[in-house]
Amino acid sequence: MNGKIICISNRLPIKIEDEISPTSGGLVSALRGVKGSYDMAWIGWAEITSSEMSRDEIAALIQENFNYHPVFLSPREVEEYYFGFSNSTIWPLLHYMSNLMQNEPGWYTTYKQVNETFADAVTAVYEPGDLIWIHDYHLMLLPSMLRHRLPGAKIGFFLHTPFPSFEIWRTHPYRQELLSGLLGADLVGFHTFGYSRHFRSSVMRLLGYEAEINKIIHDHHITHIGVFPIGIDSEAFEETLSTRSYNRQYQRLKKEFRKTKVVLNVERLDYTKGIPRKLQAIELFLEKYPEQRNKVVFIIQVVPSRETIESYQDIREQIELAISRINGKYATTSNTPIHYIYHAIPFEELCALYEISDVAFVAPLRDGMNLVAKEYLACQRNNNGVLVLSEFAGASQELFNALLINPFNTEQVADTLQFALTMDQEDIRERMYPMIKKVYKYDARQWADDFIRSLTVIDGDERLADAPVLFSDDDLRQLAQHESIALFLDYDGTLREFVNQPEKAVPGKKLLKLIRELTDLPGVDVYIISGRKKEFMDKHLSRIGATLISEHGLFYRSPVLKKWQSIKTLVDLSWKEQITEVFNQYALSTPGAFVETKAASVVWHYRSADPEFGQWKASQLLGELYEVVSNLPVQISQGQKIVEISSSEINKGAALAHFISTCRYSRVLCIGDDVTDESMFVLEDPSIISIKVGMGKTRAAFRLPSPQHVRDMLERFIEWKRSPAS
Ligand code: GDG
């Protein structure tokens, strides 16, 4: 890699007071290792807590000292983009808490604006060869904004939270916009395979794209999906644990809690972390196992977070009430069961707490990963602590030797606490050792390295898979210079975007005007060549002066004679009944699928079926068809959510050849997007210029990314034809 890495996160890892000081955090430490190997710039919101300096002075200082590039937000933006849309609309849903989702008018607009502000900041520092790495749900629109501004850039996105199942995600008011935003990236990373599976399924269902397990192919781009479980900053732990001052902290706490066992809880105050349920389990534990009341202390260390949001204030109140109730009920003169700390403590002290604790009680209701579980393991130098871990934390996928709990099952949690506190040392060590090894081995640097390597190796050219060259303006100018030109234009997916119900894909006024203008050009003949039936073409395309070719070249209608004729008169269609029967069977067993019978083909459509089920049934159907059709005069085509069997005597290529042999043109441009158009692209005639629209393998000589690009290109063609000098 030649360029630098541009890392973008909601906040910059610095504190701006009278002095500017770096802050620590998972991402900072993960990227520390990366910083040694690559040049790095960081873009994020610079929150000014209290400072006499102006924004310009601050920007200059942090750029010079850290190579950080600040985004400044107004109080309204902070309210609507950060506390509002990011943390009250997206965050609860990502964690399956739809009941807490709020959405106020204007929040989304501000979210979009702030994402644009970030895009401005990235564009200002980007140089070709740089790699862009965007973090988290605050910036879900940024990948596609950057894709538009910097089409050639390598863009990665990592989501630090879970991605919920489609049934949850579909309730989000901007579910499609946010997914489309992410698809601007070349690589979207998640902590677990489950999250990536949910994401893929939501994309297929909400945006209608085909997807493989590790990539989504859409419009004119491939977005890869990867799984990268984040780790801890192992070096920071190793270093801290070996200092003298750490040892003093450790001895102090060890002495302090010499008479009791310690169960440790560390988290940011957040409803996703499940603290009230945890307290219920603690209460039940103290009630069910009275012999433990004098022997155990629960340290609940909570870091304040998002305090202005109402749901966070509510949860704090609930927690504090429950703690005082439990302490009131179970405290004795020699022990108070819960020690509650509501502020952050220094890293060294946190490590000491981790080490002296007999049990770490990590019980989130949902958590992308949960670093506390891993950090606890990192500090267990003697392998003698026990990790009680929620199944709903991403970390549970890797740390399966922990005592896994369902935090919603209070009784099971209380019993597991008792089990954890009474386990024998050998059993504990057996469980701990492999987990500790794992957290040191796959640490934060390894994680960052993995992501960057995966993003780097994505082949830029794959964006337009094995693409021949893009059809450029120069190519177009050359074409426009010819005196007699034929344009063979496919309709669906070429002139017009797909929609779920094919009958609704009617041409709009703008498209009709465009075709009419093309047909009005002297020396230009326009053919619309489609798999559609005559009736559809008659109804929507017959008044614009183009020759219509229907059913892949079976019939045509000239704008002069205005009646349909067959291109080939004798075609063997004896297979149609048998195939229709097979298709009907599959349509019956696939809700949403249906069969369309045309004069020389039968089509099985599954665009409106469940996308994953439809894809599965389509491959089953194809398997069956290959056996049935082996001796029949037919061809099978698949793509764009259809399986089609058509007469092998009829195809678009044969139709095109028929027309260009009767009317000689000096140049023939054919454009299409699917396999049926390939029969035109393979024709060996030097006058033919072929363009494939969108992704996928092709024999065409050129490519254009989307129907919009085709229409824009045709507009320019008209301009140049009308005034060649412009
Ligand atoms: C998000 C995702 C994902 C806590 N108290 C103190 C303190 N901490 C530090 C811990 C740990 C961090 O805070 C908390 O990290 P988590 O991973 O547990 O949770 P989130 O903040 O919600 O992070 C999460 C993570 O992103 C990374 O992708 O794992 O699922 O929600 O590092 O040590 N640090 C200090 N004093 C404290 O009192 N110094």
Side-chain angles (χ1 to χ4, degrees), residues 91 95 160 191 230 266 268 273 301 303 343-347 350 354 367-372 375:
W91 172 270
H95 292 85
H160 289 260
H191 285 308
I230 199 170
V266 174
R268 221 171 20 80
K273 304 286 181 184
Q301 202 266 316
V303 181
H343 55 78
I345 56 173
F347 182 64
L350 178 67
Y354 281 142
D367 212 338
M369 172 54 71
N370 193 293
L371 287 173
V372 168
E375 292 170 1

Side-chain angles (χ1 to χ4, degrees), residues 536-684:
F536 177 91
M537 298 189 86
D538 246 345
K539 187 165 169 196
H540 299 291
L541 297 160
S542 59
R543 283 175 289 275
I544 44 176
T547 300
L548 306 181
I549 304 173
S550 74
E551 300 203 27
H552 301 121
L554 183 61
F555 305 109
Y556 76 97
R557 176 190 184 280
S558 93
V560 185
L561 287 178
K562 298 193 170 135
K563 68 175 215 243
W564 287 94
Q565 290 166 279
S566 298
I567 294 177
K568 193 170 182 337
T569 39
L570 280 176
V571 181
D572 176 2
L573 297 172
S574 58
W575 48 268
K576 262 180 77 182
E577 199 177 321
Q578 185 190 359
I579 296 298
T580 309
E581 205 172 295
V582 178
F583 276 17
N584 278 335
Q585 274 168 17
Y586 272 79
L588 276 178
S589 61
T590 315
F594 65 94
V595 179
E596 183 188 10
T597 315
K598 301 183 188 173
S601 71
V602 190
V603 192
W604 189 76
H605 291 263
Y606 63 98
R607 184 162 287 274
S608 304
D610 176 295
E612 284 167 278
F613 186 56
Q615 211 168 317
W616 174 39
K617 291 296 275 188
S619 56
Q620 220 177 38
L621 171 60
L622 280 166
E624 193 166 324
L625 286 176
Y626 282 117
E627 286 182 20
V628 177
V629 305
S630 54
N631 293 319
L632 301 176
V634 296
Q635 60 205 358
I636 303 179
S637 41
Q638 187 212 3
Q640 313 296 10
K641 309 229 169 167
I642 59 155
V643 174
E644 178 160 16
I645 298 274
S646 54
S647 163
S648 51
E649 299 165 65
I650 307 288
N651 60 59
K652 291 183 179 177
L656 185 149
H658 166 83
F659 284 102
I660 64 173
S661 67
T662 49
C663 338
R664 298 249 152 233
Y665 297 103
S666 57
R667 273 292 174 275
V668 176
L669 177 70
C670 58
I671 317 180
D673 70 303
D674 72 19
V675 278
T676 66
D677 300 302
E678 293 292 322
S679 60
M680 300 192 282
F681 303 157
V682 294
L683 293 175
E684 284 178 10

Side-chain angles (χ1 to χ4, degrees), residues 455-474:
L455 182 56
T456 313
V457 298
I458 288 174
D459 181 3
D461 292 340
E462 209 193 350
R463 296 205 194 102
L464 286 170
D466 51 41
V469 256
L470 278 177
F471 193 68
S472 68
D473 279 358
D474 281 347

